[in-house]
Amino acid sequence: MANSTFVRIKSLKIFAAVLFLLILYSLGSALYYMYKDKGHSTRMVKSLSIRIGLSLFLFIIMMIATRLDMMSQ
């Protein structure tokens, strides 16, 4: 039982870290498009929209995990 809890916590942490890296990548690409396109394209807006969606998804997953007590050891 304790081993499965450890695996669940570990996999949740890895999932959150990967999602956080994707959020940072999206933010960086929005910054790149802001300088490259000089406001003549919608790529920056799309990239920021993806970042917002990923952030909300991560927040909801963490709320569900906390509610289901998946974070405790």
Side-chain angles (χ1 to χ4, degrees):
M1 181 78 171
N3 194 23
S4 67
T5 304
F6 176 75
V7 170
R8 248 188 318 184
I9 292 171
K10 188 76 167 172
S11 62
L12 189 61
K13 286 181 181 180
I14 291 171
F15 176 74
V18 168
L19 213 54
F20 186 71
L21 289 175
L22 286 172
I23 291 167
L24 287 178
Y25 174 77
S26 178
L27 188 61
S29 66
L31 180 66
Y32 173 76
Y33 292 141
M34 182 178 72
Y35 283 115
K36 186 176 182 331
D37 294 341
K38 304 281 190 227
H40 300 292
S41 175
T42 60
R43 293 192 294 181
M44 182 185 77
V45 175
K46 289 178 186 176
S47 183
L48 289 174
S49 298
I50 290 170
R51 183 191 67 85
I52 291 170
L54 288 173
S55 298
L56 285 174
F57 180 66
L58 179 61
F59 182 73
I60 290 169
I61 293 296
M62 289 296 134
M63 294 258 315
I64 291 170
T66 302
R67 179 73 174 153
L68 296 177
D69 204 25
M70 292 175 65
M71 302 285 283
S72 65
Q73 292 180 346

